[in-house]
Amino acid sequence: MKKILFLYLIVFFAKAQSKVPFETVAIKNGIVSGIYSNGVNVFKGIPFAAPPIGDLRWRAPQPVANWQGVRKCDTFSASAMQPKPAPFMMYTTEFLAPPELLSEDCLYLNVWTAAKSANEKRPVIVWIHGGGFSSGSGSVPLYDGEDLAKKGVVFVTINYRVGVFGFLAHPDLTKETNGKGVGNFAFLDQIAAFEWVKKNIAAFGGNPNNVTLSGQSAGAFSVNVLMASPLAKGLFHRAIAESGGMFGISLRMKSVADAEQTGVAFAKKLQANSIADLRAKSSEEILKAGGGITSPVLDNYVIVGDMYSIFSNDKQNDVPLLTGWNAGDRFPSPKTLTAAEFKADAEKKYGTMANDFLKAYPANTDAEAKESQIEVGGHTLFAWQNYTWAKLQASKGKKKSYLYFFKHVPPQHSDKPDFGAFHSAEFGYALHTLRNWDRPFTEADRKLEDQMSSYWVNFAKTGNPNGKGLPEWKAFNARNPQAMIFGDTPVTERLPFKAQFEFWDNYQASQK
């Protein structure tokens, strides 16, 4: 009898240990089921808003309809309408949305959690994808959240409308919306996703009161917008922005009036006289005709002013910030100027500040001028933006900021070109997803991956990236600017490109 009882207890405890946590989860709209893999529950394709199709095209996201029974969430949803993704340059399939299943019906998100119960209240990271506001998806392989979930966070990726579907403005839309959100539907989608997280993430073991807003490239621009938007107040508690911001110089938002005229011209291309006519067009027709409409609009609803002024006056959603850029956030100019042309262009653009500009970006030879042009492009679009963001948050805000510079070069196969520490190279390390990236990574890469992802997870937990066993990352100090340099090993050093950034600081001030 004792032997039988003993065997029964072994079987009972074995079953208890093998039970999959979160086999189903009850959220506000119904019950969902996911998949269990390697100790992590994954829920793919959970709707956070109604499909923005038909009459809902170019409207603010609407609530999801409730469902009966259990909704299987074991497959990624369609990505937003965009040109069919195809590898180019350094951007192999690991960086791209799946080429199939592109649809306007795209407002879904994905959740990874290793929590064992809904009572754990783990920190949450919500990731906004990049893609120049014209492409991308929450199902990009290098955004996989399994490893970060194992490190203690609930990880969420989201989709949002891109291109003309996310950024169209038109006089008819202004009338429909009373000017609220016109041209910024992509950001309204993102806000709707964060509202979903606030209402539902506790059911997955996440803490709705400890949510980190994060993203890279266009995702970082989005972080900038949401950190500045009154509509996103209270939806997140920390922010991570990798390579991107909108603080001025080369980045100017369109006014509603200018964006409307762009929309009218777009409608004429499709022989449409109204928004109703445009809504009657197929998504393929819209996509084909809408190239280039990807710009945020200063609508005084989602975006209530220029970013520099908002942060200078501490009017942002004041949360701890981790931000930075890559050494390879540099892109060749459409036209390369000779040294003489570069100097003449500097005189024309910067007037009495031209000599200071040429000290920061010399052009004594054509080769030097070419390098300076590439540097100017990278600094004005990325580096100075992230530095300025960290500086304004540290000096004007109440919460700390942490700045990084990623210069580690991922190893490449011998038969492939080396693109250096290119734009987007860092997030495979930060999100701990090198296992999904086909490159000959070394133990040094794996160590850096573990360190960077630990900084990111620590920041999500506490608002401070530092932790046991990690080199110290000092908070940004505008009086003594330093940055965490991610080379082969992390080290805090003097701010790189300080002279160049000081020029842009002075130039920015001269434009006020």
Side-chain angles (χ1 to χ4, degrees):
M1 184 68 180
K2 289 182 179 179
K3 186 175 181 180
I4 293 173
L5 180 61
F6 179 71
L7 291 173
Y8 173 81
L9 289 172
I10 289 176
V11 172
F12 174 81
F13 283 113
K15 285 184 176 180
Q17 291 298 314
S18 66
K19 181 174 174 58
V20 175
F22 296 123
E23 192 169 355
T24 60
V25 174
I27 59 176
K28 299 300 182 184
N29 298 111
I31 299 172
V32 295
S33 66
I35 56 178
Y36 186 71
S37 174
N38 299 320
V40 176
N41 281 95
V42 187
F43 299 82
K44 301 177 180 180
I46 304 176
F48 66 83
I53 58 178
D55 191 51
L56 295 185
R57 181 189 283 168
W58 298 309
R59 293 188 191 275
Q62 298 300 302
V64 175
N66 295 340
W67 58 83
Q68 300 296 316
V70 177
R71 181 176 184 133
K72 282 190 174 182
C73 293
D74 56 3
T75 305
F76 288 123
S77 71
S79 303
M81 279 299 291
Q82 58 193 278
K84 187 173 181 178
F88 64 103
M89 296 174 63
M90 67 286 279
Y91 299 113
T92 48
T93 55
E94 299 96 331
F95 290 87
L96 307 177
E100 304 301 331
L101 290 180
L102 305 174
S103 172
E104 286 187 82
D105 182 5
C106 64
L107 299 184
Y108 300 82
L109 52 75
N110 315 294
V111 179
W112 287 261
T113 178
K116 302 302 181 186
S117 78
N119 299 320
E120 293 195 21
K121 294 185 178 180
R122 296 189 174 202
V124 181
I125 296 178
V126 181
W127 179 263
I128 304 176
H129 69 75
F133 289 133
S134 61
S135 64
S137 174
S139 56
V140 166
L142 285 178
Y143 300 158
D144 184 280
E146 180 178 307
D147 288 356
L148 285 194
K150 289 178 179 178
K151 284 199 166 195
V153 302
V154 177
F155 191 70
V156 180
T157 64
I158 69 174
N159 289 349
Y160 57 94
R161 284 171 283 183
V162 298
V164 66
F165 298 96
F167 293 95
L168 182 71
H170 188 280
D172 288 358
L173 289 176
T174 302
K175 292 176 184 176
E176 281 186 2
T177 64
N178 291 320
K180 294 182 176 181
V182 64
N184 287 326
F185 302 107
F187 301 127
L188 293 176
D189 293 344
Q190 295 167 9
I191 290 168
F194 276 86
E195 290 171 340
W196 183 97
V197 167
K198 185 172 184 177
K199 294 174 185 175
N200 293 287
I201 207 64
F204 299 87
N207 184 352
N209 296 314
N210 188 4
V211 176
T212 296
L213 161 68
S214 66
Q216 183 267 345
S217 195
F221 288 102
S222 298
V223 171
N224 200 177
V225 168
L226 298 192
M227 197 170 169
S229 178
L231 298 185
K233 184 176 177 61
L235 296 179
F236 57 89
H237 312 89
R238 329 203 186 288
I240 298 174
E242 304 174 27
S243 298
M246 297 194 297
F247 288 90
I249 301 178
S250 63
L251 297 165
R252 307 291 181 190
M253 286 178 285
K254 283 189 173 184
S255 67
V256 171
D258 287 344
E260 284 178 342
Q261 292 310 303
T262 300
V264 169
F266 163 72
K268 286 182 179 177
K269 286 165 63 177
L270 284 170
Q271 298 181 323
N273 296 316
S274 65
I275 283 296
D277 289 345
L278 282 175
R279 287 182 175 135
K281 302 291 183 180
S282 71
S283 55
E284 290 77 15
E285 289 176 285
I286 298 294
L287 179 65
K288 185 177 180 180
I293 297 181
T294 58
S295 299
V297 177
L298 184 55
D299 64 343
N300 292 312
Y301 178 66
V302 178
I303 303 175
V304 296
D306 73 272
M307 298 299 159
Y308 200 99
S309 296
I310 289 171
F311 280 78
S312 292
N313 293 298
D314 194 22
K315 298 297 185 182
Q316 77 277 22
N317 296 307
D318 196 342
V319 299
L321 170 69
L322 187 157
T323 189
W325 79 99
N326 292 4
D329 284 341
R330 297 151 38 104
F331 298 94
S333 302
K335 179 187 176 184
T336 300
L337 304 179
T338 65
E341 290 170 335
F342 186 69
K343 291 176 181 177
D345 186 64
E347 293 283 351
K348 182 179 179 181
K349 285 181 178 176
Y350 306 114
T352 57
M353 300 182 71
N355 286 338
D356 292 334
F357 172 80
L358 292 169
K359 287 179 183 177
Y361 300 99
N364 296 307
T365 65
D366 288 349
E368 193 173 51
K370 180 179 179 180
E371 178 64 19
S372 286
Q373 286 168 75
I374 295 172
E375 202 89 304
V376 168
H379 286 178
T380 56
L381 188 57
F382 296 111
W384 181 84
Q385 305 291 339
N386 294 101
Y387 149 77
T388 298
W389 197 345
K391 182 185 70 170
L392 292 177
Q393 179 59 40
S395 59
K396 304 296 184 179
K398 299 177 182 65
K399 303 296 183 180
K400 293 180 179 180
S401 64
Y402 296 85
L403 183 66
Y404 72 83
F405 175 54
F406 182 88
K407 66 177 186 178
H408 177 75
V409 178
Q412 180 58 291
H413 295 289
S414 59
D415 61 338
K416 303 290 185 182
D418 183 359
F419 291 98
F422 62 88
H423 182 68
S424 304
E426 88 295 341
F427 61 71
Y429 293 83
L431 303 183
H432 208 286
T433 54
L434 295 188
R435 60 187 170 80
N436 289 340
W437 189 0
D438 181 20
R439 291 210 177 194
F441 293 110
T442 66
E443 284 304 310
D445 290 289
R446 303 292 180 189
K447 183 176 181 181
L448 182 61
E449 173 190 43
D450 186 57
Q451 290 171 317
M452 283 189 68
S453 60
S454 292
Y455 282 125
W456 265 237
V457 167
N458 291 342
F459 182 79
K461 288 178 178 178
T462 68
N464 184 328
N466 292 291
K468 185 177 179 180
L470 294 171
E472 183 185 7
W473 187 342
K474 295 179 180 178
F476 189 82
N477 183 333
R479 293 184 297 276
N480 180 28
Q482 295 180 313
M484 172 59 77
I485 311 298
F486 289 115
D488 293 337
T489 57
V491 59
T492 299
E493 292 182 352
R494 181 177 179 273
L495 179 73
F497 307 109
K498 187 172 184 291
Q500 288 82 356
F501 293 166
E502 286 178 349
F503 169 80
W504 294 117
D505 286 344
N506 294 332
Y507 177 72
Q508 175 78 2
S510 74
Q511 302 302 297
K512 298 296 183 181

